[in-house]
Amino acid sequence: MRSIIKCILPVLAGLSFMLTACEKEDIPYYSDVERINFDYTAMGLSKDTVNIAYGFVTDQYTNIDLELLLTGYAKDYDRVIGLTITSENGAVAGTNYEITDNVVMPKGEVLISVPLKVLRSEDLMTTGAKSFLVKLVDSDDLVAGLRTTLFVTVSDDIPDEWVGDEGWIMNPISQYFGKCSKTKYLFVYEQLGVWDFSSWSYWGMMGDAAKFTPAKRILKEKLAEYEAENGPLVDPKEGRVTFPD
């Protein structure tokens, strides 16, 4: 019996210590000012930039869901979110984009999706690409956080430079697809359904070979099929379309 008691006592002492520690432990909670941010991950973005090129499609507008995430707690009342849109090259509301005038975080919520409609305006063909900056700013209810900007560029043409690898330090798109031309870019889009390759990267720093290598193989096969039926695919400016070996 004594041996059993000797075994039980340390266990009871240990349980008592754990219960005491749990009672004394303070539960951490957020106590800083509540901040509003863009949730780039929820938007499928690796950076605060969106490029829209209508030259690839017949769409007249594109919807972008601005995912806004609160660092803080839900309240039992609505809170106004400060949001501004500015442009240095003439993009204007109603012509190049549409968005609600008042953005509100509803009571009981910490995440809101705000639709931004980017329009295919007639002036894109005559004046060229337009761009505008969507920015979260302080309001009377909420403070702007750390991820507060979204830069949107919209054009009605096919780019003659690959889109997506501007900030990469290794494995650029040209390493896999070669020099860009408008004819090649359109062919790539028709085969892959992708023209903005910013998500085909490691941490936004270098091209992802696991995506680009099989894509290049597909493009070479499809180009061979095209040439077998139609002859060489030629860009008026850059000449015959080819892909690297």
Side-chain angles (χ1 to χ4, degrees), residues 85-110:
I85 298 182
T86 57
S87 173
E88 296 184 357
N89 60 7
V92 296
T95 299
N96 303 108
Y97 61 86
E98 294 178 355
I99 192 171
T100 182
D101 292 332
N102 299 306
V103 181
V104 174
M105 179 65 69
K107 64 179 182 180
E109 301 292 339
V110 296

Side-chain angles (χ1 to χ4, degrees), residues 63-151:
N63 284 322
I64 300 175
D65 289 328
L66 305 179
E67 303 293 344
L68 308 183
L69 179 63
L70 178 69
T71 303
Y73 298 102
K75 302 293 186 183
D76 60 357
Y77 53 87
D78 294 347
R79 285 173 287 180
V80 174
I81 297 173
L83 186 146
T84 64
I85 298 182
T86 57
S87 173
E88 296 184 357
N89 60 7
V92 296
T95 299
N96 303 108
Y97 61 86
E98 294 178 355
I99 192 171
T100 182
D101 292 332
N102 299 306
V103 181
V104 174
M105 179 65 69
K107 64 179 182 180
E109 301 292 339
V110 296
L111 174 66
I112 184 175
S113 181
V114 180
L116 170 67
K117 180 181 286 187
V118 182
L119 305 173
R120 185 177 195 165
S121 57
E122 295 181 358
D123 63 341
L124 290 177
M125 290 297 294
T126 56
T127 62
K130 298 289 185 181
S131 59
F132 54 91
L133 176 67
V134 185
K135 185 175 178 62
L136 296 172
V137 296
D138 294 351
S139 71
D140 292 337
D141 298 324
L142 296 169
V143 175
L146 299 176
R147 301 175 299 281
T148 60
T149 57
L150 185 69
F151 191 76

Side-chain angles (χ1 to χ4, degrees), residues 7 46 116 137 153:
C7 293
S46 59
L116 170 67
V137 296
T153 299

Side-chain angles (χ1 to χ4, degrees), residues 27-214:
I27 299 175
Y29 63 94
Y30 184 78
S31 59
D32 194 6
V33 62
E34 295 185 310
R35 302 177 186 275
I36 192 72
N37 294 277
F38 282 115
D39 188 345
Y40 298 135
T41 302
M43 295 171 65
L45 302 176
S46 59
K47 56 183 179 179
D48 65 342
T49 303
V50 175
N51 294 293
I52 299 174
Y54 283 117
F56 293 104
V57 298
T58 59
D59 301 341
Q60 295 303 305
Y61 65 88
T62 298
N63 284 322
I64 300 175
D65 289 328
L66 305 179
E67 303 293 344
L68 308 183
L69 179 63
L70 178 69
T71 303
Y73 298 102
K75 302 293 186 183
D76 60 357
Y77 53 87
D78 294 347
R79 285 173 287 180
V80 174
I81 297 173
L83 186 146
T84 64
I85 298 182
T86 57
S87 173
E88 296 184 357
N89 60 7
V92 296
T95 299
N96 303 108
Y97 61 86
E98 294 178 355
I99 192 171
T100 182
D101 292 332
N102 299 306
V103 181
V104 174
M105 179 65 69
K107 64 179 182 180
E109 301 292 339
V110 296
L111 174 66
I112 184 175
S113 181
V114 180
L116 170 67
K117 180 181 286 187
V118 182
L119 305 173
R120 185 177 195 165
S121 57
E122 295 181 358
D123 63 341
L124 290 177
M125 290 297 294
T126 56
T127 62
K130 298 289 185 181
S131 59
F132 54 91
L133 176 67
V134 185
K135 185 175 178 62
L136 296 172
V137 296
D138 294 351
S139 71
D140 292 337
D141 298 324
L142 296 169
V143 175
L146 299 176
R147 301 175 299 281
T148 60
T149 57
L150 185 69
F151 191 76
V152 181
T153 299
V154 54
S155 67
D156 201 358
D157 196 5
I158 296 174
D160 55 9
E161 296 290 341
W162 303 117
V163 174
D165 64 353
E166 295 82 358
W168 298 358
I169 59 175
M170 292 178 61
N171 302 351
I173 299 171
S174 58
Q175 177 176 314
Y176 300 95
F177 296 166
K179 181 176 175 57
C180 185
S181 70
K182 292 186 178 183
T183 302
K184 179 188 282 190
Y185 217 144
L186 181 58
F187 181 81
V188 169
Y189 177 78
E190 290 172 343
Q191 305 306 319
L192 303 179
V194 179
W195 62 270
D196 184 350
F197 293 93
S198 56
S199 63
W200 287 32
S201 68
Y202 290 115
W203 312 292
M205 299 177 62
M206 64 184 70
D208 184 353
K211 294 182 178 179
F212 278 106
T213 300

